[in-house]
Amino acid sequence: MTDPGDIDAAWLPSAAFRAVGSRRVLVRAGEGPQAGTVHSELAEACARFGGRVVPDGADADLVLAPADVDGLGDEGFTFERRGGTTTVTASGQRGLLHGLFHVVRLGEDAFTGERAREVHRPALATRMLDHWDNVAVHPVMGQVERGYAGGSLFWADGRARGDLDRVRAYGRLLAACGINAVAINNVNVHATEAHLLTDRIGEVAAIADVLRPYGIRTHLSVTFAAPVVLGGLPTADPLDEAVRTWWAEATRRVYEAIGDFGGYVVKADSEGQPGPFAYGRSHADGANLLAAALEPYGGTVHWRAFVYDHRQDWRDRSTDRARAAYDHFTPLDGRFAPNAVLQVKHGPMDFQVREPVSPLIGAMPRTRLAVEVQATQEYTGQQRHVCWLGPMWSEALRFRPDGSVSAGRLADGLVAVSNAGDDPFWTGHPLAQANLYTFGRLAWDPAADPRAVLDEWIALTHPGAPERLVDGLHAVLDGSWSTYEKYTAPLGVGFMVQPGHHYGPSVDGYEYSPWGTYHFADRDGVGVDRSAATGTGYAAQYAKPWSEVYESPETCPDELLLFFHHVSYGHVLHSGKTVIQHIYDTHFEGVEEAEEARRVWAGLADLVEPARHARVAERFEEQVRCAREWRDQVNSYFLRKSGVPDGRGRTVY
Ligand code: GCU
C-alpha cells in the first residue's frame, strides 16, 4: 500500500523510484534546466533508497549520458542493458529526462537480464494539455470551465498563485508521461485573461519557470481581438498593417519574458469569440497573422477548427453542425503558415461518448494538424463517473482516413483539455488520473496498447500492487467507457444531456435549441440522416471507403448508426437486435455494470489508502444513482415514443 502521505503523488509515489534509487548511478546530463531535474531526481531517489550517485569512471548499474545518435531528436533516447549495466543516452537533456522516467516505469525490469539497444522517440512532436482555466472566476463557468477537479492549479484570487509547488509537482507528473506543452488559460478568453498577453505576462513567466525544468513549454490562449481590447486599435483585421505590427511587438515582449514560450492557442469565430470573419478575412489570414508574429522566435499558433453556427434554427434541417469544420477549413488547405497548427476535435461534434473520427483529419494534407481530445469529462460523467478514455482515444488515433491499417500518422500533435485542478487527488475522481496518464503515453506513442498503458499506470500508482488489486483496477476501468456509453445516449446519437452543465440525462434537453445537436426521435424512429443520398451529406465528407461505409445503414457500424441515419425502432442491427431492444438492453446492462464495478471497488478496501478508497466509493454511489436515472429516462422516453414494450418485460416507466 502506498504511504498515505503520498496520495497526492499520483503515478509518482516515492516507492516508484525504489529500483532506480537503490542503484549506483552515473549521470552526465550536463547543465540546463532539465539536466538539473535529472540530477535532483536521481540524488533524491538514491538518498531515499540507499543508492549512490557515483563519479565519472566508477562502476555503475545505471548510466545516463549524452550521445550523438542519428534521428533521436531533442526528446528521444536510447535504452540498453549489457553486462550488468543499464545505459540511457540522448542527444539532449530533454531526452535524458524522458529516458530517466522510462527507467522508473520499468522498475526492477530495467536492471534485469540483457536488453539490446532500443530507440525511443515520440511519434508526435507536440503533446499538449489545454487548461480551460480562468484567472478571474467566471460568473457562469467558474474558475475552470468544464472543470471537475476543484479550482485552477495556476490561478487563485485573481492572479497567478504565489506558491507554485503544486504546479511543480504537476509538471513532474506530466513529464513522467511524456507531455511537453501546457496552455495555461481558457480558450474562451475573457477580459481579465486577455491581459496575460501583455501587462500580466510576468505571471505567465513565473509559471513557465516552474514548468521548464520538466521539459514543458508554456502556451497562452489569446483573444483575436487583442489589438482592439488591449492595444486600443480600431480594428483587429489580420491584413491591417498596424494590427500586424501590434502582434509582432506584443509577441516580441512575450519572448523577452519567456525565451522558450510555446505559442498561442486561438478559438476564433466560435461560440461568440472574435475572429477574422468580422473583417471578411479567412481563418488562414487570421492564423497566419499570429504565425508571422511567432515565427522569428520559433513559436507556434494552435488555431482551433471548432467553428460552427451555435445559433442555428432547429427547424432548419439543411444545416448540420457536424459538417461545419470540414466545410470551413478544407478550402484553406495549403494556405496556413508552417508554424500554424490547425487543432481539430477528434469528432465532428463535441467530445461525445461516441462519435466518428472527424473527416477533417486526413483531408488537409498540406496543413499541420493537431487532434484535440477531452480528458476533462464534460460529456463522460464529469469525473463523478469512472470512465477511462484510453480505448476511445486509441480507437480514434488508429483510425486511418483511407481505411488502411496504419499508413502514415494522423497528425503532428495531440492535445487534451486537462482534467486536473487543485483537488487533492488532482482529478476529482482519483481514477480519472488514469486518463491524464494514458493521454500522455498515447501522445508519445499513438500505437501503444491502452491496456498496457493502464498496466503502467497501475504499477506506478500502486507500487508492488498484489494481483487482486491489479485485477480489480482493470475490472473497474477496462470496460468503463463502454459501460458509460451503454447507459447514456444510444448508438452514437449523442447529447441527451441536461443543457448548460451537461451532467445527467435530459433526452430532449437540446432538441429544440439553437446548438445543432438533435436526435429527431418521433413515434416511428430516431437518428440523424447524414447520408449523401437523402440526408445532410456529411457522410460524403469522408474519403472512400468510409464515405461508402457510413452512407448506408446496411454497412454503417452499429455504434454509429444513429449518428449517420434515421431509422425505425424495428430496424435490425448487425447484432441481430432491433434498435428499440438494443436501447432497452444496453441501458439495463449499463446500470448492472456500474453496480458491479462499485461492488468490485468495495472489495478492494483493504488494498487502497482509506482516503482514496473512500473518495472513489463515494463517487460510485453517485455514478450508480445517475446511471439509473439515465436508464429510466432514456428507456421511458423511447417506450412512450415508440409504444414498443421491452421484449424481456422489465420495468420501464
Ligand atoms: C464545448 C464546451 C465549452 C467549450 C467549447 C470549446 O462546447 O461546452 O465549454 O468552450 O467546447 O471547445 O471551445
Side-chain angles (χ1 to χ4, degrees), residues 132 145-146 187-188 267 271 304 306 345 350 378:
W132 287 355
E145 180 154 345
R146 310 308 181 185
V187 288
N188 295 315
K267 172 175 178 177
E271 299 182 335
R304 296 178 84 230
F306 186 55
K345 290 193 181 185
D350 202 0
E378 177 178 1

Side-chain angles (χ1 to χ4, degrees), residues 389-414:
L389 296 165
M392 168 171 151
W393 297 336
S394 172
E395 223 175 88
L397 292 167
R398 284 161 195 254
F399 179 85
R400 288 295 170 271
D402 62 0
S404 66
V405 183
S406 70
R409 61 176 173 186
L410 212 55
D412 303 291
L414 192 64

Side-chain angles (χ1 to χ4, degrees), residues 289-429:
L289 163 73
L290 302 193
L294 290 158
E295 195 276 333
Y297 315 98
T300 303
V301 57
H302 282 244
W303 190 267
R304 296 178 84 230
F306 186 55
V307 177
Y308 71 99
D309 179 4
H310 70 292
R311 295 209 183 94
Q312 163 177 349
D313 183 347
W314 59 268
R315 301 164 192 81
D316 164 21
R317 294 292 288 263
S318 67
T319 302
D320 179 4
R321 171 168 163 181
R323 293 189 54 121
Y326 181 101
D327 285 343
H328 280 300
F329 286 96
T330 50
L332 301 176
D333 190 27
R335 290 184 45 201
F336 285 92
N339 62 328
V341 174
L342 193 62
Q343 189 163 308
V344 185
K345 290 193 181 185
H346 67 87
M349 297 298 280
D350 202 0
F351 302 133
Q352 299 304 292
V353 68
R354 176 73 68 172
E355 289 187 44
V357 170
S358 167
L360 192 52
I361 299 168
M364 298 187 65
R366 292 178 296 149
T367 306
R368 283 175 66 192
L369 227 80
V371 174
E372 184 183 296
V373 301
Q374 201 184 38
T376 196
Q377 291 170 235
E378 177 178 1
Y379 292 102
T380 49
Q382 303 198 348
Q383 281 136 261
R384 293 191 240 181
H385 300 217
V386 58
C387 187
W388 175 53
L389 296 165
M392 168 171 151
W393 297 336
S394 172
E395 223 175 88
L397 292 167
R398 284 161 195 254
F399 179 85
R400 288 295 170 271
D402 62 0
S404 66
V405 183
S406 70
R409 61 176 173 186
L410 212 55
D412 303 291
L414 192 64
V415 179
V417 184
S418 179
N419 61 354
D422 72 354
D423 171 66
F425 295 97
W426 296 99
T427 50
H429 198 307

Side-chain angles (χ1 to χ4, degrees), residues 27 45 58 147 198 264 360 382 385 502 508 593 618 622 634:
V27 48
T198 51
Y264 301 136
L360 192 52
Q382 303 198 348
H385 300 217
H502 299 165
D508 280 341
E593 289 174 14
E618 157 208 314
E622 167 55 18
V634 171

